Amino acid sequence: MSLTAARPDAPPVPEQLPRVPLDAADRPTPDLATRARADGIEFVLALFVDLTGKPCAKLVPIEAVEELQTDGVGFAGYAVGAMGQEPRDPDLMAIPDPSSYMPVPFLRPGLAIVHCDPHVQGAPWPYAPRVILREQLARAAELGLELKVGAEVEYFLVERGPDGALRPADAKDTAERPCYDARGLTRMYEHLTAVSKAINSLGWGNYANDHEDGNGQFEQNFAYADALTTADRVVTLRYLLSVMAEERGMTATFMPKPFTDRTGSGLHMHLSLWRDGAPAFPDADDARGLGLSPLAYSFVAGLLDHACGLQAVLAPTVNSYKRTGATSTRSGATWSPRQATYGGNDRTHLLRIPDGNRVELRGGDGSANPYLAAAAALAAGLDGIRRNLDPGDPGATRSEPLPPTLLHAVEQLEADPVVTGALDAAGPGVCQYFAGLKRDEFFEWHGQVSSWEVDRYVTAF
């Protein structure tokens, strides 16, 4: 796949890009260097993701942490991957966000992680997913609104069999209805509890760990937070799960549909808007009985109105549509909606309303970039609010189904100015580049035999 084919012929030079300010609250005291030294840190993993969600990092020794803090650390952007750069372009400088700093001694003694905002020649780089989300959050703030997100990270623990085929790492995980199976949880006890203790040590508030609906599939939940923090945590958790599974001889994969006959992995996002520190969604007097305010209904309507355009961001791989297009699984349910509908505590809808505090967007899968997914969903919801849209009665089916393939999804994305505008929020050309990557991916991988597909996707995210 070409990483340059979709880049605009004349991308904006960094001096022309809008600067996305780092909020003063994002620069806590003491600073990064002081905190790292006080924690006995020896190395800092300066981390960011590309547009596909690939985690990229450099390992910075404590002796260079002051330089990291002030100047960042440099990357050849073209080598990173999908970051809108060519070999001739200036370095990406990963500038750390001190508020995201976290020691991770459970991985390696003396190691810490800090998430970074890529810059080029002093300006935030518009192809950086974290920068895109920051800009969209700034637009919400102009309306006096803050987005909070809870994320459900589903994944499989797998291994290669003697024939090279992928299979669940737990050979005894063979039940037709394995969801919530206590025995499956117990057999994976060491892995699950190690992850739980790790993320609780980071203050994330792990509140449940469960066996999901597919053989070998798990989910480990943590408390909701502001959108940027949650996106950082999704990226961090994927990294932690991958490393900690490898230490036990397994592979953790977030591939949407690794097994044809089993449920796929979603990235469900629970969305809520807040104003002046108070939730803006609940309304006990809601005549429709879902406990939502008029603002919440307009947000829901925006998500429904842009549902087809959102799918290329929420489900961005060829494999994603083998999950949404599945007609059956061993358990009897796919848990992946095909229509843009909303309703109450009903998991067949694209938008589930479990209570008046939140809206669960169920269109995303394990290949979604959490920064882009949150940014695009927020843009769609805000559009509904700006236009004072109404979603209609709960359960009403829209005439147009969700896109059946990645190519259809890309075409819907390109036709939706609100979702394209979300990707272009920090600078023009990003959506064109992203759509080109996805179109290339479709034509390269659509219809390939499953073994090729597994090799492509199983460790990609």
Side-chain angles (χ1 to χ4, degrees):
M1 181 191 305
S2 169
L3 294 178
T4 60
R7 172 174 159 167
D9 292 336
V13 298
E15 288 76 12
Q16 295 174 320
L17 299 179
R19 292 182 179 269
V20 183
L22 298 180
D23 195 308
D26 291 340
R27 300 190 180 279
T29 303
D31 60 18
L32 175 64
T34 302
R35 296 174 71 190
R37 293 187 187 281
D39 290 336
I41 297 302
E42 297 176 354
F43 290 90
V44 176
L45 201 65
L47 188 146
F48 63 92
V49 300
D50 74 350
L51 286 168
T52 69
K54 169 193 168 186
C56 307
K58 281 193 175 182
L59 198 59
V60 179
I62 191 65
E63 291 82 2
V65 70
E66 283 86 4
E67 183 178 352
L68 168 65
Q69 178 174 276
T70 56
D71 301 329
V73 61
F75 295 77
Y78 179 77
V80 162
M83 286 295 286
Q85 283 213 325
E86 298 178 2
R88 67 174 182 267
D89 288 323
D91 280 359
L92 289 175
M93 299 301 296
I95 307 298
D97 176 352
S99 70
S100 70
Y101 161 84
M102 65 192 87
V104 287
F106 45 84
L107 286 187
R108 299 291 187 275
L111 179 64
I113 295 172
V114 66
H115 289 273
C116 300
D117 294 303
H119 286 55
V120 174
Q121 295 182 346
W125 185 237
Y127 296 81
R130 205 170 189 271
V131 171
I132 292 169
L133 177 55
R134 276 191 183 277
E135 180 60 30
Q136 200 60 49
L137 293 173
R139 295 185 180 186
E142 292 172 357
L143 301 176
L145 297 170
E146 177 189 8
L147 176 67
K148 297 195 178 184
V149 179
E152 300 180 28
V153 178
E154 297 177 345
Y155 66 100
F156 281 84
L157 291 172
V158 298
E159 64 182 10
R160 296 280 186 181
D163 60 353
L166 205 66
R167 66 185 186 186
D170 177 4
K172 295 183 178 180
D173 193 346
T174 59
E176 288 189 3
R177 303 291 295 272
C179 200
Y180 308 126
D181 191 324
R183 295 161 296 184
L185 285 173
T186 306
R187 287 193 296 270
M188 285 296 175
Y189 182 85
E190 285 75 18
H191 166 81
L192 296 171
T193 56
V195 173
S196 174
K197 291 175 183 177
I199 62 179
N200 272 334
S201 74
L202 298 173
W204 296 7
N206 169 239
Y207 60 87
N209 309 275
D210 65 77
H211 194 303
E212 279 294 314
D213 200 47
N215 303 104
Q217 187 183 37
F218 297 89
E219 177 179 306
Q220 300 187 258
N221 302 114
F222 52 90
Y224 72 92
D226 67 273
L228 188 64
T229 296
T230 293
D232 285 345
R233 288 176 177 177
V234 171
V235 170
T236 304
L237 182 58
R238 288 173 175 173
Y239 165 72
L240 297 181
L241 288 168
S242 296
V243 173
M244 295 172 81
E246 286 176 359
E247 291 174 345
R248 290 180 165 83
M250 305 179 292
T251 296
T253 180
F254 311 94
M255 182 178 176
K257 186 74 169 173
F259 300 104
T260 302
D261 62 343
R262 298 167 196 173
T263 304
S265 289
L267 179 67
H268 302 153
M269 297 193 303
H270 296 255
L271 310 172
S272 61
L273 291 178
W274 293 61
R275 179 182 283 124
D276 299 326
F281 277 5
D283 185 346
D285 298 324
D286 175 16
R288 286 171 169 156
L290 297 181
L292 295 181
S293 65
L295 180 139
Y297 277 112
S298 291
F299 187 84
V300 166
L303 288 169
L304 293 176
D305 199 51
H306 298 287
C308 291
L310 283 171
Q311 278 305 105
V313 181
L314 300 177
T317 64
V318 170
N319 185 254
S320 299
Y321 298 86
K322 297 189 176 182
R323 172 179 174 267
T324 56
T327 57
S328 65
T329 66
R330 291 180 65 182
S331 73
T334 67
W335 308 106
S336 50
R338 294 184 175 187
Q339 296 282 342
T341 61
Y342 87 103
N345 194 1
D346 178 345
R347 289 176 172 82
T348 64
H349 292 294
L350 176 68
L351 299 178
R352 167 179 169 250
I353 317 295
D355 54 52
N357 296 303
R358 58 203 159 112
V359 171
E360 181 189 13
L361 175 58
R362 297 180 57 81
D365 65 41
S367 64
N369 184 317
Y371 301 103
L372 300 184
L378 177 58
L382 291 180
D383 183 61
I385 291 171
R386 291 188 181 99
R387 294 194 286 146
N388 196 31
L389 297 182
D390 186 275
D393 293 331
T397 300
R398 304 229 160 186
S399 58
E400 186 178 17
L402 295 176
T405 72
L406 179 60
L407 183 60
H408 290 87
V410 169
E411 291 170 348
Q412 293 278 5
L413 167 65
E414 293 175 315
D416 190 319
V418 169
V419 184
T420 59
L423 296 185
D424 289 340
V430 179
C431 186
Q432 179 184 344
Y433 177 82
F434 178 84
L437 290 174
K438 298 294 106 182
R439 185 175 278 106
D440 286 352
E441 184 172 324
F442 174 82
F443 286 113
E444 182 176 358
W445 292 102
H446 182 65
Q448 297 286 4
V449 296
S450 60
S451 62
W452 289 21
E453 189 175 287
V454 167
D455 289 340
R456 166 67 175 84
Y457 288 123
V458 71
T459 58
F461 313 107

